[in-house]
Amino acid sequence: MLPNKRKIVPKSILSQNGDFVDDLADIADTFNEHFSTIGTRMASNAPPCELEADDNTHVPVPDSLADKCLLPDVTEEYVQKQISSMSVGKATGPDGISVKMIKIASPYITKCLTHIFNLSIRCEQYPKEWKHALVTPIHKGGDKCNATNYRPISILPIISKILERWVHSAVYSYLDVCNLIPSCQSGFRPLHSTETTLHDLTNKCFQAMERGEMTGTVFIDLSKAFDSVNHATLLDKLERVNMSTSVINWFKSYLCKRSQSVNIEGNVSKALPLNTGVPQGSILGPLLFIIYTSDLPLCIPQTCNLFMYADDSTLTCSSTNINEIENNLNTALGRIYDWCTRNKLTINANKTKSMLIGTKQKVCSTDLKVSIAGNPVLKVNSCKCLGVIIDDTLCWGPHVEYVKKTVSSKLSMLYRIRDCVPQSSLHSLFVSLVLPC
């Protein structure tokens, strides 16, 4: 089995008070303190905003829709089907109940689980035992002693996913039927993917090039967006999309009093509360984030286009006049900044990039100047968007070179181990490591 270098535990980690800790238990506590407070710290650092959202910046609910969203009772057949479809490879949650154990006990616990799920819906309460997550830090890159260079992978109790999936199905169906999900949002939706966003974005740019226009593009980066979601604001938005009082109360219970611990090689940190953000590793977290950002496109003027995949947003404006492009983009960025301030989200100005897309002749002779809250946005010739490197002439040269380099390194690794593993294993490694590139 190939080692996963990202899971290697650092010998020491820098704590928030500036000291290095090297004991595994202290490292686990340091990671947990960082992960559990990042959302609150981001929100507290956001600049104050005196602007209030008007009626034009809320997702409109059709007047013909008389019924509010309700949660139906869970059926035994549904619970049994969910248990049967579970993969035994799923990680065991903090409750210690594995998928294998659930499958074995399925004939005896299905009825009881169905009763518990329905009690949760009827009593508008989410079981507190399912609100605790076990987190494993995964290194993203950079200094291994810095906790900010790690991504938290949260594991929740497996049984809780059955109820979450039922609620997700009911709420998403309601949102979909009522067209309450922005058409520009491709994240976490059936028949949508990163390819949907990339296709729409590049197609818009190609059409502009055929008309002899340039396209000003801003790749907006939000800092810790999922962790920074404000619960009170989210509940208010659930009410605005016509969720029933019982559904809102259930979600309020679902979000409040959550906690997490970090596990470092069996050393589990003390539990710390999570006061902001949607639950990582959950079924409902991504859907709640989509609802939270569903009114963002309403802030964008008609002269611009917004392409979204979860928290990745790309803003574009096409024209033959560079001054018109800059004015429209700056107006839209100002409105996006105000929206983020109202919703306690933070734009990472250092990672937000701008690019002018068009023919080589026009791009080389034209500059693009846009800014966010007075901070100039760095203009680049290429930028990685949803795993694909987009360049300013859409010739794909930088992305082709990136793929060639990535594939070459993986093929080199397979070549070195060719005499040590069976041919069938080499084929499996090729399919899993090389083909996805």
Side-chain angles (χ1 to χ4, degrees):
M1 183 176 179
L2 297 175
N4 188 342
K5 295 182 179 180
R6 296 188 303 170
K7 289 188 177 181
I8 297 177
V9 180
K11 294 182 180 179
S12 62
I13 200 77
L14 185 65
S15 65
Q16 292 190 11
N17 60 15
D19 298 327
F20 281 95
V21 294
D22 51 15
D23 181 75
L24 288 179
D26 293 336
I27 291 177
D29 285 332
T30 300
F31 270 121
N32 199 30
E33 184 179 3
H34 171 76
F35 291 145
S36 63
T37 60
I38 184 65
T40 304
R41 284 185 278 120
M42 293 296 299
S44 63
N45 291 332
C49 181
E50 300 178 356
L51 297 176
E52 294 293 335
D54 54 43
D55 292 336
N56 294 325
T57 57
H58 293 305
V59 178
V61 178
D63 295 333
S64 59
L65 187 66
D67 297 330
K68 292 179 177 289
C69 177
L70 298 170
L71 299 181
D73 284 346
V74 185
T75 64
E76 289 187 32
E77 292 76 15
Y78 171 82
V79 175
Q80 182 60 55
K81 183 178 180 181
Q82 289 297 312
I83 294 176
S84 300
S85 63
M86 285 181 178
S87 171
V88 293
K90 284 187 175 295
T92 301
D95 58 357
I97 303 176
S98 65
V99 172
K100 186 176 181 180
M101 187 183 302
I102 295 173
K103 283 180 174 290
I104 294 174
S106 174
Y108 313 101
I109 65 174
T110 298
K111 186 174 182 178
C112 295
L113 287 178
T114 305
H115 179 65
I116 292 172
F117 296 153
N118 285 326
L119 275 180
S120 173
I121 293 173
R122 294 167 189 169
C123 297
E124 304 167 6
Q125 293 292 320
Y126 191 75
K128 64 178 183 180
E129 290 79 6
W130 296 346
K131 296 182 184 182
H132 183 73
L134 199 58
V135 177
T136 301
I138 299 296
H139 185 239
K140 298 184 294 184
D143 185 7
K144 293 183 179 180
C145 294
N146 193 336
T148 59
N149 294 327
Y150 288 80
R151 178 182 294 108
I153 303 299
S154 299
I155 302 174
L156 292 165
I158 296 170
I159 292 178
S160 67
K161 303 292 184 70
I162 302 176
L163 177 57
E164 284 198 53
R165 191 168 280 109
W166 177 266
V167 174
H168 181 286
S169 177
V171 173
Y172 182 86
S173 297
Y174 168 82
L175 296 173
D176 190 43
V177 169
C178 300
N179 294 317
L180 297 176
I181 301 177
S183 58
C184 63
Q185 174 63 267
S186 296
F188 311 111
R189 299 178 62 188
L191 305 179
H192 292 72
S193 66
T194 55
E195 292 183 14
T196 313
T197 303
L198 289 167
H199 174 270
D200 292 344
L201 170 61
T202 54
N203 188 52
K204 201 77 173 180
C205 295
F206 275 124
Q207 289 177 344
M209 291 171 69
E210 291 176 354
R211 296 192 301 266
E213 298 176 344
M214 300 172 289
T215 301
T217 309
V218 181
F219 302 94
I220 302 171
D221 185 273
L222 296 177
S223 299
K224 303 295 181 182
F226 282 77
D227 295 314
S228 303
V229 169
N230 182 273
H231 291 171
T233 304
L234 174 57
L235 293 171
D236 179 64
K237 293 190 179 190
L238 289 173
E239 183 177 0
R240 289 183 179 275
V241 295
N242 221 25
M243 296 286 166
S244 66
T245 303
S246 62
V247 173
I248 294 175
N249 289 338
W250 187 90
F251 273 112
K252 183 177 181 180
S253 175
Y254 173 81
L255 292 168
C256 74
K257 297 181 180 180
R258 301 193 76 97
S259 62
Q260 70 175 32
S261 300
V262 168
N263 181 18
I264 301 290
E265 291 189 347
N267 294 270
V268 180
S269 70
K270 61 182 179 182
L272 291 178
L274 298 172
N275 298 319
T276 60
V278 294
Q280 300 287 343
S282 65
I283 304 295
L284 288 169
L287 178 62
L288 291 173
F289 185 81
I290 289 178
I291 296 174
Y292 195 78
T293 57
S294 59
D295 55 346
L296 173 57
L298 301 178
C299 301
I300 308 302
Q302 294 183 353
T303 53
C304 297
N305 294 285
L306 188 66
F307 304 89
M308 302 173 68
Y309 185 87
D311 59 335
D312 288 306
S313 300
T314 304
L315 180 70
T316 68
C317 176
S318 300
S319 176
T320 56
N321 188 319
I322 186 61
N323 291 327
E324 182 180 345
I325 292 176
E326 291 178 345
N327 290 336
N328 290 336
L329 287 179
N330 282 317
T331 298
L333 286 173
R335 295 183 182 181
I336 292 174
Y337 178 81
D338 290 340
W339 180 92
C340 289
T341 304
R342 286 195 303 269
N343 290 274
K344 308 298 183 183
L345 299 182
T346 305
I347 297 178
N348 189 335
N350 294 328
K351 291 186 177 181
T352 297
K353 312 293 182 186
S354 68
M355 184 165 59
L356 190 63
I357 298 176
T359 60
K360 189 174 182 180
Q361 294 79 4
K362 291 186 177 182
V363 169
C364 292
S365 60
T366 311
D367 196 14
L368 177 66
K369 297 179 181 179
V370 293
S371 61
I372 299 176
N375 299 312
V377 177
L378 177 65
K379 181 177 180 291
V380 295
N381 297 323
S382 63
C383 184
K384 197 170 187 180
C385 177
L386 300 175
V388 174
I389 299 178
I390 299 177
D391 60 282
D392 54 8
T393 59
L394 297 182
C395 69
W396 307 110
H399 183 68
V400 171
E401 290 301 318
Y402 167 75
V403 173
K404 285 168 58 179
K405 183 178 179 181
T406 305
V407 170
S408 177
S409 64
K410 294 180 184 297
L411 287 176
S412 176
M413 180 270 296
L414 293 180
Y415 181 80
R416 291 196 300 270
I417 65 172
R418 69 190 186 284
D419 297 328
C420 305
V421 297
Q423 191 74 17
S424 58
S425 298
L426 280 176
H427 180 267
S428 298
L429 288 171
F430 176 80
V431 170
S432 62
L433 297 176
V434 179
L435 285 187
C437 299

